[in-house]
Amino acid sequence: MWRRMSKYVCVVFLLALSGLFFLLSNINVLENLNCRTVSTLYQLQGSIHTAFFSEAPFPLDRNHSYCGLLGQEPSPEEALEERYLLKSIAWPEPTHHSESVSLDHTSDPAHSLFVILPARGQSEWHVGDQLEAFVQMHDFQGHPKSHGGDFLLARLHSSELEAGVAGQVQDHRNGTYSAIFPLLWQGSAQVEMTLVHPSEAIHVLRRLREERPDRVFFKSLFRSGKLSQTTVCNLCLPTSQKPLCDYTDAYTEEPWYCYKPKLLSCDTRINHAKGGYVKHLLTNKEALLFQSGVNIKVPIHPSGSDSVTVLPEKKDKADVERSSMKTEPTRITPSGYYFQGSWRALTGGVIRQFNDSSTITQCLKGKVMYMYGDSTARQWFEYLNAVLPEMKQFNLHSPKNAGPNMAVDSTHNILLRYRCHGPPIRFSDVIASEMRYVANELDGLTGGSNTVVFISIWSHFSTFPVQVYIRRLRHIRRAVVRLLDRAPGTMVVLRSANLQALDPEASLYNSDWFSVQLDGVLRAMFRGLDVLLIDAWEMTLAHHLPHAIHPPPIIIKNMIDIILSRICP
């Protein structure tokens, strides 16, 4: 009997050993099978999580913001600047929190109105004057709002003249607002006011930014031989869950972490990718604050006429300017405006129109252009690569969206290079060895009069506390200063954030309110430096085309015209 049992034990042992060998040799197949199963389930549930994600993100402690504390502690000077920057973008708080306010008592664009105020000290409008519109916000019951904090956009335009300019909105903190516009063209000018979010929704967005930086999560694939595993990554990960792989950058000390694979070492990381979006972030009451066609990017109607006729500029211009300084407390100067479809700058010189490829080629002859940032920086690479007839793009066998990308016109000695910025970045696939921080890349440039550097970095920071963005820009600013010190002829171009299409879901991750906050920080941190700012915010606000995260080609062309006009004035 014992002899027969020992024989069975040997058989069982051999079967177990064979099963283990089969599992190890086919773990990739099993993972892919599991991924397809997960993907199917997610599609059935209507989830927007990326398929084949093997681990769900761990919820953060809602009482703490991990992101603001990670990385190098700021020096006293840096802490002082940070406080100044946060104060400069401070947004009015509603008197009651969104959890305790019903929809009926929140801002309703359908019940709100604006009126164009009479011209100051005169009966007609002239080029060079300022137009002011007064906005009164009401709730869904038609009652006037008594506090500020709504996010409004103001635009003055003329469809016949293909003209448009951004207005400046002033919050009087009592439910009323003023929108001020410079009158820059002769003819018809129509006021357009839009509620992006009510103040009560802004309160929710602020909470999400501070308490849920994990609402977009990331992942990395680790592989060694036939063994592979995917784990969750982020700038903020609870350390109590699992051991971490620390990928903090050695030079900038920018933090990044992944959960360590169970059977693999941290140096087997293959790639970086967006994992997906955490859903069910709002209570039922909060969700009512984010409704398309109700309180997300909805126009406010005028009380009376919404347009004026602008007459030619008065001949006694000096007298007009002196009188306007006395009667108008605020004079605004936008960065520019559209007229006949072309952008005209109000500061920084005349913008030339580069309408044919030969003119662009001659302007860029002998130039090396480095483009760093998100997909809005890649748009510039794609535009120039398409418009220059002798430009040939190299196949670097890298993902198209993430890059790196390179194109060359060997006849005219023109080089274009694009590289995405370091994490956090929500691209679908970035090779781990190609993850570079912009500051480090700038430090590796020789620079000089033949070098143009483009930087656009903002969109992928919208889900994190502002301190994270401040820290990143601080490293980039220092690198820009070092570059301009060693190579003063280098041209550095900085791109601001732009408006984009919003719906209830996109608002929680990419709201224009997140963008305008980051935009205020960027402008303040680079003010006074010898860089060219492309005001993408005003260029998308002033244009008649719908807002989009990737502005349409005509707006990209106008941006490129500004840059080329600086290179070839």
Side-chain angles (χ1 to χ4, degrees):
M1 183 179 69
W2 288 107
R3 190 175 300 167
R4 284 199 301 270
M5 286 184 65
S6 62
K7 186 187 300 182
Y8 293 141
V9 168
C10 292
V11 171
V12 171
F13 177 77
L14 287 173
L15 287 173
L17 191 63
S18 301
L20 180 62
F21 178 80
F22 177 85
L23 177 64
L24 291 174
S25 61
N26 291 277
I27 194 165
N28 249 351
V29 176
L30 290 174
E31 276 195 353
N32 293 333
L33 179 61
N34 179 57
C35 295
R36 287 192 291 270
T37 305
V38 171
S39 175
T40 304
L41 287 173
Y42 278 12
Q43 290 173 10
L44 290 172
Q45 294 169 356
S47 171
I48 61 169
H49 288 167
T50 300
F52 75 87
F53 198 75
S54 60
E55 298 184 45
F58 293 100
L60 293 181
D61 182 348
R62 289 172 177 263
N63 297 320
H64 297 86
S65 171
Y66 290 86
C67 294
L69 301 176
L70 284 178
Q72 185 180 16
E73 284 293 321
S75 67
E77 294 79 11
E78 291 169 347
L80 181 64
E81 180 189 41
E82 186 175 287
R83 288 194 295 272
Y84 161 76
L85 291 168
L86 294 176
K87 184 177 180 181
S88 71
I89 62 170
W91 201 271
E93 289 268 13
T95 53
H96 301 287
H97 292 327
S98 56
E99 295 91 341
S100 60
V101 177
S102 70
L103 180 67
D104 286 346
H105 297 108
T106 65
S107 300
D108 177 19
H111 280 95
S112 303
L113 55 89
F114 74 86
V115 60
I116 297 176
L117 299 181
R120 293 176 181 269
Q122 55 190 25
S123 58
E124 53 194 17
W125 302 100
H126 292 265
V127 172
D129 292 341
Q130 280 197 159
L131 179 73
E132 183 175 350
F134 179 79
V135 185
Q136 173 68 67
M137 299 301 296
H138 292 81
D139 63 22
F140 280 81
Q141 295 182 332
H143 301 139
K145 294 294 291 291
S146 59
H147 62 82
D150 296 317
F151 182 16
L152 306 180
L153 295 177
R155 172 175 171 255
L156 188 72
H157 65 102
S158 169
S159 55
E160 315 91 79
L161 299 172
E162 292 185 82
V165 66
Q168 179 178 296
V169 177
Q170 298 176 349
D171 186 347
H172 301 302
R173 310 293 181 93
N174 60 3
T176 68
Y177 303 78
S178 293
I180 303 174
F181 310 89
L183 297 180
L184 300 168
W185 61 83
Q186 180 181 338
S188 174
Q190 182 179 354
V191 174
E192 181 182 282
M193 296 298 307
T194 303
L195 172 71
V196 182
H197 295 300
S199 59
E200 295 80 8
I202 298 296
H203 175 74
V204 175
L205 295 177
R206 181 189 284 110
R207 174 181 64 78
L208 290 176
R209 184 179 67 187
E210 302 305 320
E211 298 180 5
R212 293 306 306 266
D214 64 330
R215 64 191 185 279
V216 174
F217 56 96
F218 305 87
K219 62 186 178 182
S220 275
L221 172 66
F222 296 78
R223 180 188 297 138
S224 179
K226 294 185 177 181
L227 187 63
S228 65
Q229 186 179 349
T230 298
T231 72
V232 175
C233 305
N234 214 320
L235 195 149
C236 322
L237 287 176
T239 57
S240 59
Q241 302 289 345
K242 291 181 179 181
L244 296 180
C245 289
D246 185 350
Y247 297 109
T248 299
D249 182 64
Y251 299 99
T252 63
E253 299 190 17
E254 286 284 353
W256 191 255
Y257 302 94
C258 295
Y259 284 117
K260 184 183 180 303
K262 293 178 181 177
L263 301 175
L264 295 169
S265 64
C266 292
D267 58 6
T268 59
R269 184 174 62 144
I270 300 297
N271 69 358
H272 163 92
K274 177 183 70 176
Y277 298 86
V278 176
K279 301 188 76 175
H280 310 299
L281 295 167
L282 305 180
T283 65
N284 291 336
K285 183 177 287 189
E286 288 174 337
L288 297 175
L289 302 173
F290 299 91
Q291 301 181 68
S292 296
V294 177
N295 47 22
I296 298 177
K297 281 203 173 178
V298 178
I300 298 171
H301 298 293
S303 175
S305 176
D306 62 354
S307 60
V308 299
T309 300
V310 183
L311 301 176
E313 186 174 17
K314 286 186 175 180
K315 293 181 180 180
D316 51 343
K317 182 179 178 182
D319 292 339
V320 171
E321 288 182 350
R322 281 193 293 270
S323 63
S324 67
M325 289 175 66
K326 295 177 183 178
T327 58
E328 294 178 0
T330 303
R331 297 291 297 182
I332 69 163
T333 304
S335 61
Y337 66 104
Y338 289 103
F339 188 76
Q340 295 178 343
S342 298
W343 183 257
R344 298 187 176 187
L346 293 174
T347 57
V350 177
I351 305 299
R352 293 175 58 193
Q353 298 302 306
F354 291 80
N355 295 324
D356 62 272
S357 59
S358 61
T359 306
I360 299 174
T361 298
Q362 288 304 312
C363 179
L364 296 180
K365 189 174 182 179
K367 299 293 182 184
V368 180
M369 283 161 285
Y370 299 94
M371 305 176 190
Y372 302 111
D374 53 35
S375 54
T376 60
R378 191 185 67 238
Q379 279 192 285
W380 291 345
F381 176 92
E382 293 168 344
Y383 178 88
L384 290 172
N385 187 41
V387 79
L388 296 175
E390 297 188 54
M391 191 66 64
K392 305 297 181 184
Q393 184 169 351
F394 280 77
N395 181 5
L396 300 179
H397 302 285
S398 55
K400 178 185 175 183
N401 290 344
N405 298 331
M406 183 173 74
V408 175
D409 177 348
S410 56
T411 304
H412 300 95
N413 197 26
I414 303 171
L415 173 64
L416 304 179
R417 303 194 72 141
Y418 163 75
R419 180 181 290 279
C420 69
H421 64 73
I425 192 157
R426 301 178 211 155
F427 289 166
S428 57
D429 185 22
V430 185
I431 301 169
S433 60
E434 297 292 353
M435 294 289 287
R436 313 281 179 84
Y437 288 92
V438 174
N440 295 341
E441 292 296 299
L442 295 177
D443 283 339
L445 299 182
T446 302
S449 58
N450 66 329
T451 302
V452 183
V453 177
F454 304 70
I455 302 171
S456 179
I457 177 169
W458 56 278
S459 178
H460 298 254
F461 289 80
S462 61
T463 55
F464 293 94
V466 178
Q467 293 92 329
V468 173
Y469 189 60
I470 292 173
R471 184 176 61 211
R472 183 64 57 89
L473 289 189
R474 186 179 289 129
H475 293 309
I476 294 174
R477 182 179 62 187
R478 288 170 178 164
V480 167
V481 171
R482 290 191 291 267
L483 174 61
L484 295 177
D485 280 347
R486 67 177 178 271
T490 307
M491 179 176 171
V492 178
V493 181
L494 204 63
R495 184 195 188 282
S496 79
N498 61 258
L499 294 151
Q500 53 191 296
L502 294 180
D503 59 28
E505 198 164 71
S507 297
L508 307 184
Y509 313 100
N510 296 307
S511 169
D512 288 337
W513 183 76
F514 296 135
S515 300
V516 75
Q517 293 261 287
L518 299 180
D519 192 48
V521 167
L522 180 139
R523 293 170 190 265
M525 291 188 71
F526 283 85
R527 188 175 294 124
L529 289 185
D530 186 18
V531 298
L532 171 64
L533 176 68
I534 302 299
D535 197 336
W537 186 269
E538 288 195 7
M539 294 182 77
T540 50
L541 174 54
H543 206 275
H544 66 87
L545 289 176
H547 301 158
I549 180 63
H550 299 118
I554 185 60
I555 296 180
I556 301 301
K557 179 199 180 299
N558 277 287
M559 292 179 180
I560 296 295
D561 282 347
I562 298 172
I563 298 167
L564 296 176
S565 296
R566 176 67 69 90
I567 297 172
C568 306

